[in-house]
Amino acid sequence: MPEASETEYRLKFFDTNNYFRKICKSCHTPFWTKKENEEYCSDIPCTDYYFFEIPIKSGPLTVREARRKFIDFFARKGHTPIPPKPVLARWREDLYLTIASIVDFQPHVTSGLVPPPANPLVISQPCIRLEDVDNVGVTLGRHLTSFEMAAHHAFNYPDKFVYWKDETVELAKEFFTEEIGIPEEELHFKESWWEGGGNAGPSFEVTVGGLELATLVFMQYSVQDGTYVPLKLRIVDTGYGVERIAWFTQRTPTAFHAIYGDLVYRFYKAIGVEPIDDNLLRVAARYAGRLDPDNPSTLRLHRELVAKELGMKVEEVDSELTRAARVFQVLDHTKTIALMLSDGLVPSNSGEGYLGRLLIRRTLRVLKLLKSDVDLRELIKMQIDYWAEDFPNMLKNKEYILDVIENEQAKFEEVLLKAPSVAQALAKRQITLDTLIEAYDSNGIPPDILAEELKKVRKDVNVEVPHNFYALVAKRHQTSSIKGKERQKVPQEVSERVRTFQPTRKLYYEDQYLRRFTAKLLGVVNGKYVILDQTAFYPEGGGQVGDTGTLYIGTQQVRIVDTQKVGDVVVHVAERPVGAPPGTEVVGEIDWQRRYRIMRHHTATHVVLQAAKRVLGDHVWQAGAEKTEEKARLDITHYKTLSSEEIRRIEDLANSVVLDRRPVRVVYMGRTEAENKYGVSIYAGGVPETATVRLLEIQDWDVEGCGGTHLTNTSEIGGIKIINVEKIQDGVIRLEFVAGDVIAKYSRELENEILTVSDYLGTTPAQLEVRSRKLVEQLESLEGLVKQYRETLLKAPELVARKDEINGVSVYWINDLSDSELVKELMRRLTQAKGVIVVSTRSLNEGLLVEVATSKDVKVDKLVAKLRELGGKGGGSGTFASVNVKNGKREDVIEAIKSAIKAGL
């Protein structure tokens, strides 16, 4: 960080109001206070929590009341209240979760690309942070996975000043003294430095009685490759802790009591845990600032302090507080899970879904540590009912949330069953932190459970599970630098040269039905990458493939096999080298039938996506798409496989929109206006980096950002047929469909398949169903008969297996028995007795397949070795082996096995 001088923090406000700049005796950080003799910054761990003892004028405030008081105060001060964004940061390419209120405005507002929705503004933004997930409950409320950041923001432009440092500190002083009633001499403004989301600046932390209630950030730098570059905008970025304000005013034993009220005690009861003594928690909370989760010794010291004050044993205090921490973890996590799911998260093994699943599984693991058999759905339902007024989406999506939790609970139980086999597979490896994370990423097995299973396999293993394991895992998955990023298909050296050309005029946007056009040749790069001043050729992007067609350049007729885009320059990829000077007139003609089919598939994709949302729920989000001439592919987030009925409903609903003849139009709108009007769902197909967004509007059906080419009416789609539905990964379902005349092509292919099958079965297409049903009935009858024959032979194995006694071993020989199921069952039954070997030989095109099964007291190793001497390939271990003996004779195999037995096994 740049050297921040005292002048960054010495404000006129402090001088005018007789504040003193002091240096904290403990952390040596400068701070401002009205107490001339103050020695400490009033922040933990420099001091214990003593805010319980500070008299205040306001009464106790709930979270809802604290939020409302904050918003109302700043609204009176000229700030426009704006609604919060979802906790899933889908307007950002680099983040999955909303971690602060400023995230709502990064990077487009903070960079000056687009204006803010209001200036100045006030907001209370629900946030989720998982980097301290392992500390939740342990610190009795200092750490939470979800919290509300109440904030006021002002955006100062070079030509428009709103307010800056003095006014911001003045507003903080007024809010805390006049609205909350805190004596001004108890306020401390601790000098600090803030960085986040690529921005940075000096800040003040407002601390009172050991509790940090707010952070006042003055964002004035952009951090670029470690360099601090001054921003054109100077931004006031504040963050007030709504939950902390509620705790401050209520003086409850812990922050959880202030946030959740009677829900704390209802959770105790539902989980089946005796309530922890409130006085014990109050004393423990007072000293909680001394807890450093990264330093285990502080935990012991904390327990000793509490035990001494209450006259209890340290072990008793530790047991009670550990139990309390686990209940508080479940309380915190279940709210966060409900928030995530209510905003559309679908648990999966990647992206935001991974983070949601991590928290769900951590909650389920904590419940097991509490020895509770409570259904997680019951706890989630309690959270939904408690927060319904504050977060309406919870109630709106209640059915979806509870269904997902049921699904995730079942998957977690399946995961636990895999733990022994995973431990067995890892037993021979060195167990490191990366091993534990790999096992969690691949199989979802909690590290402590894996450690227990490893100890069963290897007595000497000593697995150390970091106390912050889940935070470490979350950190690896909470950001993405490539979310929605498309791979560049133009070679790098070509791309660099292309960027030197002027932007291409995009005729395909001016008239999406334009087939033929004239242009001027600007240049040809590397012989076949053609650059024009304007074009109707659509370049690949947003899942829509690039156009193909023909360019007439002078006397040359050039076939264009692909169209790409580099920045604002469209690149036409020629089939063969092109030779013509810049300035040559060019006539271009796209392959219209191909383009029109792609347009049909693209518009159909928007129709199908919205149909899927209406059938399956608002959680459906586009996870990927491709539109080609042959078909369209749409990947959507959903937590389970689609039923036939759901597929039919999606298809029928989509086709009803086609028949409705709904107008389709492109609308250009400012980014802020578009978000305010339609929400962040406009970014389902990707996040554009422009101030103006191009929206596709299907009347009374769907509005979504899109850069592709489209029809002007849904009737042009012609019809939609879903041809394939499959689960491509956990939490993602792929829909493939065709539209327009491609449906006829698909139908012909189906007809040909039906005719082929009908001919094969000796019937007509009209009688195919009847014939198939009869064949199935006959097959079932034959299978029953075969089962009877098998049972008869199993009761009399001598009918198919010759028996020899060799060196005290019973050897059964099965020759050329084609019924593999019968052979397998014979082997299983015969090897139940001791001292048994069963040998099956079956002729192949070139040799013999030899399968050997033994009873548990006989190993196959030496038998396999003998067979390998005959040129056999394959092997086995324990009690079964399979060896392919090329050009082998049965007599040689039998003699080899006999000699191995006689030599002793």
Side-chain angles (χ1 to χ4, degrees):
M1 73 180 226
E3 195 69 33
S5 66
E6 182 182 332
T7 56
E8 289 279 13
Y9 303 98
R10 182 170 290 282
L11 308 182
K12 182 181 179 182
F13 168 85
F14 292 137
D15 292 337
T16 303
N17 291 277
N18 301 315
Y19 276 73
F20 300 92
R21 188 176 192 260
K22 313 292 288 184
I23 304 297
C24 179
K25 191 175 180 179
S26 177
C27 68
H28 309 295
T29 301
F31 66 95
W32 295 83
T33 176
K34 289 186 77 73
K35 295 180 182 178
E36 187 173 3
N37 298 320
E38 183 71 281
E39 295 183 320
Y40 296 97
C41 64
S42 189
D43 195 8
I44 58 169
C46 303
T47 181
D48 290 321
Y49 287 135
Y50 63 91
F51 67 87
F52 305 102
E53 304 156 11
I54 297 175
I56 58 173
K57 295 177 183 178
S58 75
L61 300 171
T62 64
V63 168
R64 185 178 303 149
E65 290 166 343
R67 179 197 310 124
R68 177 46 52 198
K69 184 174 281 290
F70 179 87
I71 291 174
D72 288 348
F73 170 79
F74 281 95
R76 292 197 303 274
K77 296 293 181 178
H79 295 69
T80 302
I82 67 168
K85 284 189 174 179
V87 296
L88 307 182
R90 284 171 166 167
W91 62 95
R92 293 282 296 263
E93 293 283 30
D94 56 340
L95 281 178
Y96 290 118
L97 302 175
T98 307
I99 58 174
S101 62
I102 195 64
V103 167
D104 294 13
F105 313 106
Q106 290 174 321
H108 304 105
V109 174
T110 56
S111 68
L113 181 69
V114 298
N119 194 16
L121 60 83
V122 61
I123 186 175
S124 186
Q125 175 63 53
C127 302
I128 295 177
R129 293 182 188 172
L130 300 182
E131 57 260 39
D132 293 314
V133 62
D134 300 282
N135 300 334
V136 172
V138 177
T139 56
L140 301 168
R142 189 164 94 230
H143 297 99
L144 304 168
T145 58
S146 60
F147 58 94
E148 282 190 66
M149 184 177 285
H152 62 96
H153 295 280
F155 302 87
N156 296 288
Y157 293 84
D159 59 347
K160 182 185 178 183
F161 177 80
V162 184
Y163 62 78
W164 194 229
K165 296 178 183 177
D166 283 285
E167 297 88 342
T168 301
V169 174
E170 173 74 30
L171 286 167
K173 187 270 292 185
E174 285 187 31
F175 175 74
F176 285 124
T177 58
E178 297 175 12
E179 298 298 312
I180 306 302
I182 300 172
E184 189 174 356
E185 60 269 19
E186 296 295 343
L187 295 179
H188 298 69
F189 294 89
K190 183 178 173 182
E191 295 179 11
S192 186
W193 183 263
W194 176 91
E195 292 191 18
N199 300 123
S203 65
F204 290 108
E205 295 171 1
V206 185
T207 58
V208 183
L211 195 62
E212 182 186 335
L213 293 177
T215 301
L216 315 176
V217 176
F218 305 100
M219 190 186 296
Q220 56 195 55
Y221 296 103
S222 171
V223 186
Q224 299 174 14
D225 298 323
T227 302
Y228 293 83
V229 180
L231 287 167
K232 293 180 181 178
L233 278 70
R234 292 190 301 165
I235 301 166
V236 173
D237 169 27
T238 67
Y240 289 63
V242 174
E243 289 83 0
R244 290 189 178 189
I245 293 171
W247 189 20
F248 184 94
T249 61
Q250 290 185 47
R251 321 304 180 88
T252 52
T254 72
F256 297 101
H257 291 74
I259 299 166
Y260 296 99
D262 70 324
L263 202 58
V264 171
Y265 303 99
R266 289 165 56 200
F267 261 56
Y268 278 133
K269 183 177 180 181
I271 294 170
V273 172
E274 282 295 316
I276 312 300
D277 181 67
D278 281 354
N279 191 45
L280 166 61
L281 292 172
R282 191 182 301 278
V283 174
R286 188 192 316 146
Y287 297 122
R290 304 190 185 197
L291 287 167
D292 178 3
D294 293 325
N295 184 354
S297 64
T298 63
L299 186 67
R300 177 73 184 181
L301 291 172
H302 174 263
R303 299 319 195 227
E304 289 173 351
L305 269 174
V306 176
K308 182 178 180 181
E309 181 164 328
L310 295 175
M312 297 172 64
K313 292 180 179 179
V314 174
E315 292 74 19
E316 183 184 359
V317 168
D318 184 63
S319 175
E320 288 291 284
L321 292 182
T322 298
R323 196 156 50 90
R326 287 172 176 165
V327 173
F328 296 152
Q329 286 162 10
V330 174
L331 193 60
D332 167 272
H333 293 3
T334 47
K335 178 193 175 186
T336 304
I337 291 165
L339 273 173
M340 286 174 150
L341 295 175
S342 70
D343 277 349
L345 181 138
V346 176
S348 67
N349 293 328
S350 63
E352 63 191 35
Y354 180 98
L355 298 173
R357 175 165 287 168
L358 178 144
L359 202 59
I360 293 171
R361 290 185 173 176
R362 187 175 195 275
T363 307
L364 291 168
R365 178 56 185 153
V366 172
L367 286 172
K368 287 190 178 294
L369 291 172
L370 287 168
K371 296 180 170 56
S372 175
D373 59 358
V374 65
D375 189 328
L376 184 57
R377 287 176 299 176
E378 181 183 340
L379 302 179
I380 296 286
K381 185 177 181 299
M382 290 164 68
Q383 291 281 13
I384 293 171
D385 294 341
Y386 188 83
W387 295 105
E389 185 176 335
D390 302 84
F391 308 111
N393 271 357
M394 282 193 189
L395 193 60
K396 177 184 176 184
N397 298 314
K398 182 176 182 178
E399 184 179 344
Y400 163 71
I401 294 169
L402 298 179
D403 200 20
V404 167
I405 294 301
E406 180 181 23
N407 195 48
E408 287 298 304
Q409 283 187 120
K411 287 184 176 180
F412 183 67
E413 292 302 323
E414 293 172 5
V415 161
L416 297 184
L417 294 176
K418 293 193 295 184
S421 61
V422 173
Q424 189 76 41
L426 294 174
K428 294 180 181 179
R429 291 172 54 180
Q430 181 181 357
I431 307 301
T432 64
L433 173 60
D434 284 340
T435 310
L436 295 175
I437 292 178
E438 179 189 328
Y440 184 84
D441 277 349
S442 303
N443 301 285
I445 299 172
D448 53 326
I449 289 179
L450 183 61
E452 291 172 7
E453 293 297 331
L454 282 166
K455 286 178 183 177
K456 295 176 185 178
V457 181
R458 278 177 54 189
K459 303 297 181 185
D460 63 321
V461 72
N462 183 25
V463 181
E464 291 189 14
V465 180
H467 77 279
N468 61 338
F469 175 83
Y470 287 94
L472 293 172
V473 174
K475 188 176 181 181
R476 294 190 179 194
H477 292 269
Q478 66 186 2
T479 60
S480 171
S481 60
I482 57 171
K483 187 168 67 170
K485 190 174 181 180
E486 295 183 343
R487 183 173 61 87
Q488 177 61 260
K489 292 185 178 180
V490 176
Q492 183 62 33
E493 67 276 10
V494 174
S495 178
E496 290 174 0
R497 290 183 59 189
V498 166
R499 291 181 190 279
T500 64
F501 288 89
Q502 69 185 49
T504 309
R505 181 180 173 186
K506 302 172 181 64
L507 300 176
Y508 51 81
Y509 279 163
E510 297 176 20
D511 181 357
Q512 296 177 97
Y513 291 81
L514 183 63
R515 310 182 189 192
R516 191 177 177 92
F517 64 97
T518 58
K520 285 187 178 181
L521 179 68
L522 297 182
V524 180
V525 179
N526 282 22
K528 65 174 186 176
Y529 296 94
V530 181
I531 316 298
L532 306 176
D533 66 334
Q534 60 182 12
T535 187
F537 280 75
Y538 178 82
E540 181 175 359
Q544 180 175 327
V545 295
D547 279 337
T548 60
T550 304
L551 293 181
Y552 300 93
I553 306 174
T555 59
Q556 302 175 75
Q557 181 174 322
V558 180
R559 181 69 187 160
I560 299 301
V561 295
D562 192 15
T563 309
Q564 294 292 319
K565 186 180 174 188
V566 177
D568 283 327
V569 181
V570 176
V571 181
H572 308 78
V573 184
E575 188 175 43
R576 58 178 175 79
V578 178
T584 302
E585 185 174 288
V586 177
V587 175
E589 188 170 8
I590 65 173
D591 290 335
W592 173 248
Q593 286 195 357
R594 178 179 182 274
R595 159 74 89 76
Y596 193 59
R597 286 177 181 134
I598 293 169
M599 289 168 63
R600 278 176 153 174
H601 283 142
H602 200 155
T603 305
T605 299
H606 286 248
V607 172
V608 171
L609 176 60
Q610 185 59 227
K613 283 185 178 183
R614 299 194 184 198
V615 170
L616 304 175
D618 289 339
H619 62 277
V620 168
W621 188 261
Q622 181 175 313
E626 183 181 45
K627 306 92 182 179
T628 68
E629 179 184 15
E630 293 78 22
K631 64 180 178 180
R633 166 180 62 77
L634 173 65
D635 299 337
I636 59 172
T637 55
H638 190 55
Y639 57 103
K640 56 186 178 183
T641 305
L642 301 193
S643 67
S644 298
E645 174 61 18
E646 287 170 331
I647 296 169
R648 184 193 63 76
R649 287 173 59 200
I650 292 171
E651 187 175 271
D652 286 350
L653 191 54
N655 278 303
S656 72
V657 174
V658 174
L659 293 174
D660 276 350
R661 298 179 55 83
R662 299 180 187 231
V664 178
R665 69 183 185 119
V666 171
V667 180
Y668 289 90
M669 191 176 290
R671 189 184 204 94
T672 301
E673 182 187 356
E675 287 186 9
N676 288 342
K677 190 171 184 179
Y678 301 112
V680 298
S681 64
I682 61 174
Y683 301 131
V687 184
E689 299 299 319
T690 54
T692 301
V693 292
R694 183 178 188 265
L695 303 174
L696 185 82
E697 180 190 88
I698 301 176
Q699 189 179 83
D700 300 329
W701 182 252
D702 181 56
V703 177
E704 185 183 328
C706 186
T709 56
H710 286 275
L711 310 169
T712 57
N713 193 288
T714 58
S715 63
E716 288 187 70
I717 296 172
I720 296 170
K721 177 59 188 170
I722 297 174
I723 61 174
N724 182 51
V725 178
E726 61 180 319
K727 179 180 177 182
I728 60 169
Q729 67 181 61
D730 207 15
V732 179
I733 304 296
R734 172 164 292 174
L735 301 171
E736 293 181 322
F737 47 93
V738 291
D741 65 315
V742 184
I743 295 176
K745 179 183 176 184
Y746 172 73
S747 299
R748 281 195 299 271
E749 290 172 354
L750 283 182
E751 287 173 355
N752 290 336
E753 289 180 14
I754 291 170
L755 286 170
T756 300
V757 173
S758 299
D759 289 343
Y760 186 76
L761 297 179
T763 187
T764 64
Q767 293 297 312
L768 185 58
E769 183 181 352
V770 175
R771 178 63 175 150
S772 298
R773 189 180 296 114
K774 286 183 179 179
L775 284 173
V776 170
E777 291 172 356
Q778 291 171 6
L779 181 60
E780 290 173 349
S781 176
L782 288 172
E783 286 176 346
L785 191 59
V786 169
K787 187 176 181 181
Q788 291 177 23
Y789 285 143
R790 281 178 185 158
E791 199 56 45
T792 300
L793 294 173
L794 289 169
K795 290 177 181 178
E798 66 276 5
L799 295 175
V800 291
R802 178 171 59 83
K803 180 181 179 183
D804 285 338
E805 291 290 337
I806 306 171
N807 205 18
V809 177
S810 299
V811 184
Y812 292 87
W813 308 95
I814 304 173
N815 297 330
D816 277 331
L817 187 57
S818 59
D819 189 343
S820 59
E821 288 297 319
L822 177 57
V823 172
K824 182 178 178 181
E825 184 61 20
L826 270 172
M827 286 180 164
R828 190 189 70 80
R829 293 193 185 187
L830 291 173
T831 55
Q832 295 300 307
K834 290 183 177 181
V836 174
I837 297 174
V838 182
V839 181
S840 168
T841 58
R842 191 161 75 248
S843 299
L844 301 175
N845 291 335
E846 297 182 354
L848 290 173
L849 174 64
V850 184
E851 294 179 318
V852 183
T854 67
S855 51
K856 291 181 180 179
D857 58 328
V858 180
K859 303 301 180 186
V860 298
D861 306 58
K862 291 185 179 180
L863 298 174
V864 172
K866 275 290 183 183
L867 292 172
R868 284 178 177 164
E869 290 177 7
L870 296 176
K873 291 185 179 180
S877 61
T879 61
F880 182 79
S882 179
V883 179
N884 190 344
V885 183
K886 191 175 181 180
N887 298 321
K889 295 180 179 179
R890 186 171 283 107
E891 296 78 11
D892 295 338
V893 168
I894 292 172
E895 285 304 317
I897 291 175
K898 285 181 177 180
S899 65
I901 297 171
K902 290 175 182 177
L905 298 174

